[in-house]
Every structure is written in structure tokens, then in C-alpha cells.
């Protein structure tokens, strides 16, 4: 229960309540799906610790059977949850990535960053960048993980995520473009129901990142104003928005800003009518959820 001395900054029931003092009350325990290497499963997965000091890890997903063996497009995925909840082990994210890998014949790496507010922003951004650098260390085939060495085509890399994960994914794409890893090419970036800013202070973001204005003059919340935007990795960016999502207009604003920016790639957008934020996780078997998956797979295959 919230005490009288703690003011609620955001009530995200049934998931969590965030308080203005920077503490959090997580309301529902999130079950984990363990990794699986079951011989009958079409997709296998495993968890890899990449930074023992921080605990940052990744979950890698790969198709079990390939005939003939071949290098596969690599998807780097960053989960959402308002920077505060979730992990690659959470059922919605695990199942979504498993479906992409199975249907698209891809290999995917899902990043497990440290959660706010215990780890204030920009820690989740920096953890995800650490993970991407670890992934990139496999581009010459001599990295620490054999799945990435043997299966991943580092000339066909995609970076993406949903909600807060899309915010982080865009930041990783900018950093990757500035850094320019040898042997690695990012073909595309996908942003599903992204969390960006507008001209009003976002109360949640302000609590999680007190140093930020929490408005659209913060480059992480409006990357179009980032002076590095012209160097962002990727030839194409795919936006997904939903009609009833309170974040829809913010996503559309960045879509327009990116088109007008110094970044010279192609920009696409898909809007789902009559649905809210991340509805595809809550109704994964619906036709509209399937349409998102199909459009995303088409984006990954066409690039």
C-alpha cells in the first residue's frame, strides 16, 4: 500500500505504481519462460550472461532445423515495459520473438537490461548498448557464442523493440551508426508502438530520469533533434502505431521528423485501427496481431 508520504507519479495498474520519490510497487509477479532446447521444438533458445558485474544478459533464439545450413538475418530485440518491468523471459516477449524466428527463419537476440527505477535512466539504454557491442564482437566469426558465430549473417542485422524498448532500440541504432562496427551492417530498424516525447513533461520519464526535461527537446525522446541522427544505422525504419494508443501521435511526430531529418533512409508506417498500446501482446491470436507480425516479417525479408 502507498503510504500518505508517497505520491503516485503514475498508476500503471495492473502492472505497477511509480511514486514521485523514485520507488516502485510492482503489482503482479511476472512468470518466466525458461529457455528450451527440446528436440521437438521448432525454435531453441538459451540465456547468455555477458556482463557478470552488472548481470546484463541476452536470450538467443534460433531455428532448430535448417536444410541446407545457412547464415540467417539477425534481429536484435529490446523489450518494453516502461523501462520498469519485463525481461526476455516474460511470456509476451519470449513468445513474440519465438514466432518471428519460426516464421521468418531468423536468429534473434533479446536483451535483458537492468530495470528502472532501481537502475535509473540511462542505465537501460547503456546496458542495451553494452549488449549490442557484445553481439557485434561476433561479426568476424570469433565471438564468445557459437550460435552467433555459426548462424548469424552480420550483413543483415535489424534492431527493434516495442514501447520503451523501441526508444532504446532507436538509441542503439544511432550509437551503432556513429560507431560503425567492421563486418556489421544494420539494414533496418523497427519501432512498435514507440514511447517518444512531446512538448509536455512526461511524468513517468521525469521520475525515471530526473536529469531529463522529459519533453521532446531530449534527443532520446525525440531523436529527430539528435545532432547524430544523420549517422543512424539502417537503410529503412518501420513504425507501427495503434489508433487508440495514447503514444500514437508521439510516434507519428518522430516518423515525420525522421523523414525531414538528415538521415537519408526510407521510412514506413503502419497504423492499426481500433486498438490500443501493445494490444498484440494481450490478443496475440487476433487477426490484427497477425497483421503486425506479417508486416514486420515482410519488412525483415524485403530489406
Amino acid at each position: 500500500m502507498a503510504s500518505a508520504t508517497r505520491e503516485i507519479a503514475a498508476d500503471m495498474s495492473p502492472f505497477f505504481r511509480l511514486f514521485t520519490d523514485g520507488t516502485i510497487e510492482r503489482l503482479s509477479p511476472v512468470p518466466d519462460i525458461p529457455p528450451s532446447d527440446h528436440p521437438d521444438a521448432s525454435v531453441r533458445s538459451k540465456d547468455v550472461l555477458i556482463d557478470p558485474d552488472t548481470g546484463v544478459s541476452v536470450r538467443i533464439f534460433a531455428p532448430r532445423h535448417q536444410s541446407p545450413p545457412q547464415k540467417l538475418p539477425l534481429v536484435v530485440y529490446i523489450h518494453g515495459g516502461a523501462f520498469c518491468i519485463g525481461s526476455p523471459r516474460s511470456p509476451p516477449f519470449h513468445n513474440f520473438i519465438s514466432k518471428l524466428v519460426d516464421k521468418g527463419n531468423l536468429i534473434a537476440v533479446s536483451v535483458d537490461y537492468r530495470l528502472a527505477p532501481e537502475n535509473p535512466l540511462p542505465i537501460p539504454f547503456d546496458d542495451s548498448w553494452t549488449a549490442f557491442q557484445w553481439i557485434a564482437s561476433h561479426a568476424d566469426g570469433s565471438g564468445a557464442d557459437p550460435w552467433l558465430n555459426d548462424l548469424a549473417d552480420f550483413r543483415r542485422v535489424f534492431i527493434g523493440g516495442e514501447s520503451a524498448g523501441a526508444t532504446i532500440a532507436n538509441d542503439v541504432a544511432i550509437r551503432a551508426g556513429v560507431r560503425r562496427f567492421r563486418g556489421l551492417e544494420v539494414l533496418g530498424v523497427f519501432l512498435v508502438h514507440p514511447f517518444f516525447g512531446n512538448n509536455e513533461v512526461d511524468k513517468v520519464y521525469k521520475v525515471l530520469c530526473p536529469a531529463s526535461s522529459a519533453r521532446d527537446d531530449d534527443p532520446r525522446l525525440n531523436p529527430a533533434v539528435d545532432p547524430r541522427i544523420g549517422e543512424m544505422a539502417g537503410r529503412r525504419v518501420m513504425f507501427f502505431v495503434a489508433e487508440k494508443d495514447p503514444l500514437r501521435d508521439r510516434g507519428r511526430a518522430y516518423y515525420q521528423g525522421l523523414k525531414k531529418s538528415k538521415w537519408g533512409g526510407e521510412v514506413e508506417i503502419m497504423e492499426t485501427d481500433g486498438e490500443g498500446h501493445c494490444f498484440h501482446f494481450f490478443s496475440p491470436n487476433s487477426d490484427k496481431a497477425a497483421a503486425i507480425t506479417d508486416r514486420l516479417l515482410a519488412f525483415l525479408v524485403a530489406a
Side-chain angles (χ1 to χ4, degrees):
M1 291 291 290
S3 71
T5 61
R6 290 204 296 171
E7 179 184 351
I8 294 176
D11 189 339
M12 307 290 284
S13 300
F15 305 109
F16 66 87
R17 294 188 186 97
L18 182 66
F19 298 92
T20 55
D21 65 0
T23 59
I24 192 169
E25 179 184 11
R26 293 184 174 90
L27 302 175
S28 302
V30 179
D32 287 344
I33 294 181
S36 174
D37 200 15
H38 194 282
D40 294 334
S42 60
V43 175
R44 54 181 175 155
S45 58
K46 66 177 178 179
D47 293 334
V48 181
L49 177 66
I50 64 173
D51 189 340
D53 292 334
T54 63
V56 174
S57 66
V58 297
R59 176 164 287 188
I60 306 177
F61 300 77
R64 174 164 294 283
H65 301 293
Q66 294 185 74
S67 183
Q70 58 186 302
K71 293 282 189 175
L72 305 175
L74 170 61
V75 173
V76 179
Y77 183 79
I78 304 173
H79 72 82
F83 307 101
C84 296
I85 60 173
S87 80
R89 302 176 299 278
S90 301
F93 309 131
H94 176 96
N95 293 335
F96 182 69
I97 296 302
S98 295
K99 184 181 294 185
L100 284 182
V101 168
D102 187 26
K103 289 189 171 185
N105 197 33
L106 313 163
I107 184 168
V109 182
S110 186
V111 178
D112 191 9
Y113 53 85
R114 288 173 288 174
L115 297 176
E118 295 88 346
N119 302 283
L121 302 178
I123 288 175
F125 289 91
D126 294 339
D127 285 352
S128 300
W129 176 236
T130 295
F132 188 84
Q133 292 177 91
W134 178 85
I135 293 165
S137 72
H138 296 76
D140 64 357
S142 63
D145 186 80
W147 288 15
L148 293 178
N149 289 333
D150 297 342
L151 299 177
D153 183 350
F154 282 88
R155 295 294 183 181
R156 292 186 291 167
V157 177
F158 299 86
I159 305 170
E162 97 294 328
S163 193
T167 320
I168 299 173
N170 199 94
D171 183 71
V172 169
I174 290 176
R175 292 190 188 193
V178 173
R179 172 67 171 75
R180 298 190 181 186
F181 294 94
R182 179 177 296 180
L184 183 152
E185 184 174 358
V186 177
L187 297 187
V189 177
F190 59 93
L191 309 174
V192 183
H193 301 173
F195 173 82
F196 291 119
N198 58 17
N199 60 4
E200 298 180 359
V201 173
D202 186 287
K203 294 181 180 180
V204 173
Y205 199 87
K206 186 64 177 177
V207 172
L208 300 178
C209 189
S212 170
S213 68
R215 298 170 57 178
D216 56 8
D217 58 350
D218 181 330
R220 285 196 172 102
L221 292 181
N222 179 17
V225 304
D226 192 319
R228 305 170 299 169
I229 191 64
E231 298 183 76
M232 185 172 74
R235 304 172 184 172
R236 302 165 64 214
V237 175
M238 181 75 211
F239 287 78
F240 295 85
V241 297
E243 179 186 15
K244 295 184 177 181
D245 183 358
L247 300 177
R248 181 194 67 168
D249 291 345
R250 303 186 194 186
R252 279 194 165 276
Y254 176 43
Y255 163 74
Q256 295 292 344
L258 185 59
K259 286 200 299 182
K260 298 173 183 177
S261 74
K262 294 181 180 180
W263 181 76
E266 300 176 10
V267 186
E268 304 171 50
I269 192 165
M270 172 183 174
E271 179 167 337
T272 304
D273 295 336
E275 298 292 349
H277 188 67
C278 291
F279 74 92
H280 56 295
F281 289 145
F282 306 109
S283 302
N285 298 318
S286 68
D287 290 343
K288 291 180 179 179
I292 287 181
T293 302
D294 291 344
R295 183 69 178 273
L296 178 54
L297 286 170
F299 174 78
L300 299 174
V301 170

